[in-house]
Amino acid sequence: MSGAFWWVPSVVVLAVVVAAIVFVVTLLRRRTAALRGAETAAAAALAREAAISLVRADDLVESSTDELDFALAQFGEPATREFAAALAASRRQLSEAFALQQKLDDAVPDSAAERDRWNRQIRALAEEAGARLADQERDFDSKRGVEREAPRRLELLRRRLDRTADRLSGGSATIDRLRQSYAEHALAPISGNVERARAALTRAQQAVGAADIRLAEGAAEPVGEQLRAAEHALFQATGLLDAIEAGEDQLHRGFATLGQALTAVTAELTEARTLRDGHEESDTSAELNRAIADAAAVLAELREPTRLSDPAVDLARLETARDGLDVIRSEARNRQLRLQNARTALAGALLTVRSQLTVTHAYIGANRGRIGAAARTRLAEAERQLALALAEADPVVALDTARRAMTHATDADALAHYEAR
């Protein structure tokens, strides 16, 4: 009986081995899944850190741009060169970081290794760009000596606020005055500056008031933030009012330039009419007439007494009409000159071909028995082309015809001499 069941221990051993293999495989799969989960979580955390760093650096670049403008107005260009260079470098790094982020966000599949590498690069670029700007801002904060100079700076700010407030009415009057002469489109860059300056001035006054209260109450909180806000808002208000004055000057200079251009085009129209009336070609005269009519229409519209001017747009329109007139005038002059030159050359060409025909006729007549049909045919064609040239009214066509006559005449002479040898 024991011999009959010898295989039972073998089956048991095999079952144990299979169970051990299943256990090991299951354990390995669980460990692999755990590792993959940990890698996925780490990759997601890295992506979040990169995105946060990118947003933080972008905000810092924007705020540093305003800070640099403010520092430039306060300290001047030499003292802010390092800040400007740092901002430019950080912008370049931020642009590189955004380009990498775009690669992560586009529809092209990326490997896990690529995504991790790009996210690390984004984080490093953003952190370096932000740290550089933070250092510069801290440096300028220390330069200002905000807290030590707060009372004196507040007094200066109050005076500047008063002067800027006085300028608001002047800026409003300037805009009203300009509206009497210029179109709204021409005033668009500065028409809202008074309102924007008033709003900026209000912000500056509120910030100065808040700083005053803190100083009067002996509060422990620093007033640097309020002072910077007031100075920045005042800087904006002053810039907006300055732009009104600069805009007025630019409009007046543009209007003066337009007046000079109108005078020049008027003179050019007179020349174009003279050229049209004396031109020999009717087609060219018609083209000139169309260009003259177009330019004259623009000229009349721009000289309308009640019309509000838009110097930049008006100059562009006038220059377009002027360019069209110049092109036609140039072509007309070239055509007229071509006719004159052709007429001058034609006289010489006719004299030359007649002389050649006389010589060839004489030679063929003297050697009549030895000259064949080829030379005589060329001579006859030369005489025919000469007759056409003499009958042609267009000197350019007549000149070409006379030159063909000369070609046939010289060919006839050459053939005659060849055959008479």
Side-chain angles (χ1 to χ4, degrees):
M1 187 171 178
S2 58
F5 294 96
W6 61 268
W7 47 270
V8 173
S10 299
V11 170
V12 172
V13 170
L14 181 60
V16 170
V17 170
V18 170
I21 292 172
V22 169
F23 174 79
V24 170
V25 169
T26 301
L27 183 61
L28 288 174
R29 286 178 177 174
R30 287 177 180 174
R31 286 181 178 176
T32 302
L35 287 173
R36 287 177 179 171
E39 289 173 355
T40 301
L46 178 60
R48 284 193 301 272
E49 290 172 7
I52 292 170
S53 298
L54 190 58
V55 170
R56 189 177 296 147
D58 189 43
D59 288 342
L60 192 53
V61 165
E62 291 299 319
S63 65
S64 294
T65 301
D66 291 339
E67 181 68 9
L68 178 58
D69 289 340
F70 173 42
L72 187 63
Q74 187 178 16
F75 295 110
E77 191 270 338
T80 57
R81 284 175 186 161
E82 186 178 346
F83 196 172
L87 181 58
S90 292
R91 279 178 176 156
R92 288 193 296 270
Q93 286 186 309
L94 191 62
S95 177
E96 185 179 348
F98 273 122
L100 290 171
Q101 185 64 49
Q102 176 61 34
K103 291 173 69 174
L104 288 168
D105 294 342
D106 62 21
V108 178
D110 308 312
S111 67
E114 287 176 329
R115 298 185 68 83
D116 283 352
R117 184 173 70 255
W118 292 340
N119 276 317
R120 282 192 293 271
Q121 289 176 333
I122 290 170
R123 183 177 61 186
L125 288 166
E127 288 177 353
E128 185 178 346
R132 182 187 298 108
L133 294 177
D135 289 343
Q136 287 296 324
E137 291 195 4
R138 281 193 296 270
D139 181 59
F140 272 89
D141 281 345
S142 64
K143 286 181 181 178
R144 291 187 179 103
V146 174
E147 304 309 320
R148 292 193 309 273
E149 296 293 320
R152 187 182 67 84
R153 285 174 62 188
L154 273 173
E155 181 59 30
L156 292 175
L157 276 170
R158 290 189 198 95
R159 294 175 187 173
R160 290 172 59 197
L161 286 171
D162 291 341
R163 289 195 298 268
T164 305
D166 292 340
R167 292 182 63 192
L168 285 175
S169 57
S172 182
T174 298
I175 296 295
D176 292 340
R177 184 173 64 255
L178 292 174
R179 283 199 170 100
Q180 304 303 311
S181 303
Y182 297 103
E184 198 61 37
H185 179 267
L187 297 174
I190 58 173
S191 60
N193 280 24
V194 172
E195 289 72 19
R196 288 193 287 270
R198 183 176 285 111
L201 190 62
T202 298
R203 293 196 299 272
Q205 290 167 337
Q206 291 171 345
V208 166
D212 268 334
I213 291 173
R214 284 193 174 187
L215 287 177
E217 293 178 350
E221 293 88 348
V223 297
E225 184 178 345
Q226 284 73 25
L227 290 177
R228 281 194 296 272
E231 289 172 339
H232 190 261
L234 187 57
F235 173 73
Q236 290 178 323
T238 302
L240 289 165
L241 295 174
D242 289 344
I244 293 176
E245 297 174 2
E248 180 183 22
D249 182 61
Q250 184 177 357
L251 286 170
H252 290 337
R253 284 189 283 109
F255 188 76
T257 303
L258 177 63
Q260 294 169 359
L262 288 170
T263 301
V265 172
T266 301
E268 290 172 13
L269 278 172
T270 301
E271 294 176 8
R273 291 186 178 103
T274 301
L275 182 61
R276 173 200 62 191
D277 296 341
H279 209 282
E280 299 180 47
E281 293 182 343
S282 58
D283 290 345
T284 302
S285 295
E287 291 176 5
L288 272 168
N289 203 46
R290 284 192 293 272
I292 289 168
D294 292 342
V298 174
L299 201 66
E301 181 184 346
L302 297 184
R303 278 184 164 163
E304 177 63 38
T306 60
R307 183 178 179 276
L308 295 177
S309 178
D310 188 343
V313 174
D314 294 348
L315 272 169
R317 288 187 59 202
L318 189 62
E319 285 302 318
T320 299
R322 188 180 191 176
D323 290 344
L325 185 63
D326 285 346
V327 169
I328 298 301
R329 285 169 63 207
S330 178
E331 291 177 356
R333 287 196 193 97
N334 289 338
R335 292 173 186 173
Q336 189 72 12
L337 183 61
R338 185 172 174 233
L339 290 173
Q340 293 171 357
N341 292 340
R343 192 175 286 111
T344 301
L346 178 61
L350 290 174
L351 180 63
T352 303
V353 72
R354 280 171 174 154
S355 176
Q356 181 64 57
L357 285 172
T358 299
V359 170
T360 305
H361 261 294
Y363 187 81
I364 290 176
N367 299 276
R368 191 174 292 116
R370 292 184 293 168
I371 305 301
R376 297 170 190 268
T377 300
R378 301 294 191 284
L379 183 62
E381 180 61 19
E383 291 174 334
R384 189 182 76 84
Q385 291 291 337
L386 176 60
L388 291 174
L390 291 170
E392 178 59 54
D394 187 332
V396 175
V397 177
L399 178 61
D400 290 340
T401 308
R403 286 170 175 166
R404 285 197 297 273
M406 184 63 187
T407 299
H408 288 299
T410 54
D411 287 348
D413 188 71
L415 284 169
H417 279 79
Y418 179 76
E419 292 175 350
R421 288 184 304 174

